Amino acid sequence: DGPAMTYAISTINYLEANELDTANEWLDITLRNQQQPYQVWTETIDPSYHPSDMGCYHFLTGAGGFVQAIVNGYGGIRIREEGLRIRPQLLTNTTKLNLHGVSFKGKRFDILRE
């Protein structure tokens, strides 16, 4: 089992390939790196894996990967040479995706997909 950011990037890649079911599976795998009771991210799924050296605890790279999976994966945001491309997709069993305050080249806007 690898670090959380690896799973998040797989989520984005499967969404780019229009494989929503597989992307949802990878997002679920990503969430296994959150630890109770405060949803703290760890580098490995089991926080006791390396009792003396468990890696970074609170693993911000993994948490950041999760944010990228939502914004760039399900939000579909891509920065291209010709400008911004936005192709949002809904997570399974959701009815809405709403990203507030997206900023690009000095402009702020919201993205809503229902």
Side-chain angles (χ1 to χ4, degrees), residues 30-110:
T30 299
L31 293 172
R32 295 186 311 181
N33 287 71
Q34 284 186 322
Q35 307 301 326
Q36 299 294 332
Y38 302 109
Q39 305 302 330
V40 173
W41 287 82
T42 56
E43 192 166 2
T44 60
I45 293 170
D46 181 359
S48 63
Y49 181 66
H50 300 289
S52 63
D53 179 25
M54 66 169 273
C56 182
Y57 191 84
H58 192 28
F59 187 53
L60 294 178
T61 306
F66 173 76
V67 171
Q68 288 180 331
I70 300 301
V71 173
N72 301 104
Y74 292 93
I77 297 174
R78 300 287 185 279
I79 298 173
R80 300 287 190 225
E81 193 171 313
E82 62 278 3
L84 200 61
R85 185 195 84 186
I86 303 170
R87 294 183 187 161
Q89 299 182 55
L90 293 177
L91 286 93
T92 301
N93 298 320
T94 63
T95 58
K96 178 168 61 172
L97 173 70
N98 196 352
L99 301 176
H100 294 280
V102 176
S103 180
F104 183 71
K105 292 191 173 187
K107 306 287 185 192
R108 291 183 65 83
F109 53 92
D110 297 335

Side-chain angles (χ1 to χ4, degrees), residues 3-25:
M5 73 268 193
T6 304
Y7 306 134
I9 297 306
S10 294
T11 302
I12 294 169
N13 289 339
Y14 281 110
L15 286 165
E16 186 71 16
N18 292 316
E19 295 186 32
L20 183 61
D21 291 337
T22 305
N24 290 334
E25 290 172 18

